[in-house]
């Protein structure tokens, strides 16, 4: 998963025509209530129907480059952040099973795979709380028992990005 995220971070941004001075990511974000901190989304803004939609927790932020695989997908689709994916499957102690399911839900990004059709396509990107710097590979509200795994994940991701550059 860390190497997949690194490959996604190294994608070349597609050329998106926009008028001068308009910084429009061409991706719609849809926030949902966070079950951990109860952060609630603001009122939804107007969003064009022809764009991909990424559902995120109201408290979480994804890096801009995290959206590159979504932009590179040929057809607009619906995607989840890892935070939303984990929140919907609240781990019952079996982290290995959760990670295996998450890995499958992100596999649409792998070379030779096509854009997803279902609602469980996950954006392969670490997440963080809004206005915070530290990120976590799984959730903006990680349990401390995942600290070592997060450190290992970050090392593998950084090494893969360095090798890719």
């Amino acid at each position: 998963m860390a190497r997949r995220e690194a490959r996604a971070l190294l994608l070349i941004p597609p050329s998106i025509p926009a008028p001068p001075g308009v910084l429009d990511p061409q991706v719609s974000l849809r926030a949902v209530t966070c079950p951990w901190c109860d952060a609630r989304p603001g009122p939804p803004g107007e969003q064009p129907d022809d764009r991909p939609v990424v559902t995120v927790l109201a408290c979480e932020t994804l890096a801009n480059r995290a959206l590159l695989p979504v932009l590179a997908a040929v057809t607009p689709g619906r995607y989840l952040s890892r935070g939303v994916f984990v929140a919907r499957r609240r781990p019952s102690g079996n982290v290995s099973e959760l990670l295996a399911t998450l890995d499958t839900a992100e596999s649409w990004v792998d070379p030779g795979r096509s854009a997803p059709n279902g609602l469980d396509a996950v954006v392969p990107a670490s997440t963080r709380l809004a206005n915070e710097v530290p990120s976590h590979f799984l959730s903006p509200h990680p349990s401390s028992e995942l600290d070592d795994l997060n450190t290992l994940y970050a090392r593998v991701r950084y090494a893969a990005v360095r090798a890719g550059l």
Side-chain angles (χ1 to χ4, degrees), residues 26-30 47-48 51-55:
Q26 299 296 310
V27 173
S28 295
L29 297 178
R30 179 181 154 262
Q47 300 178 356
R51 291 183 178 190
V53 177
V54 178
T55 301

Side-chain angles (χ1 to χ4, degrees), residues 54-163:
V54 178
T55 301
V56 296
L57 297 173
C59 61
E60 85 176 315
T61 300
L62 299 178
N64 292 339
R65 291 197 70 84
L67 300 176
L68 287 176
V70 173
L71 286 171
V74 178
T75 56
R78 296 192 167 285
Y79 304 85
L80 304 176
S81 69
R82 286 179 176 170
V84 171
F85 184 88
V86 171
R88 289 183 177 174
R89 285 167 178 74
R90 289 280 182 98
S92 60
N94 190 345
V95 175
S96 296
E97 187 177 306
L98 174 69
L99 292 176
T101 307
L102 177 59
D103 181 54
T104 300
E106 292 181 356
S107 65
W108 65 272
V109 177
D110 295 342
R113 301 292 297 265
S114 60
N117 292 329
L119 293 177
D120 277 347
V122 176
V123 178
S126 296
T127 180
R128 64 182 183 261
L129 285 171
N131 303 316
E132 296 285 329
V133 174
S135 65
H136 193 274
F137 80 103
L138 201 55
S139 168
H141 299 285
S143 63
S144 59
E145 63 196 27
L146 295 174
D147 286 350
D148 290 342
L149 191 54
N150 188 56
T151 300
L152 175 62
Y153 182 96
R155 284 184 187 150
V156 170
R157 184 184 65 216
Y158 293 141
V161 168
R162 275 194 301 270

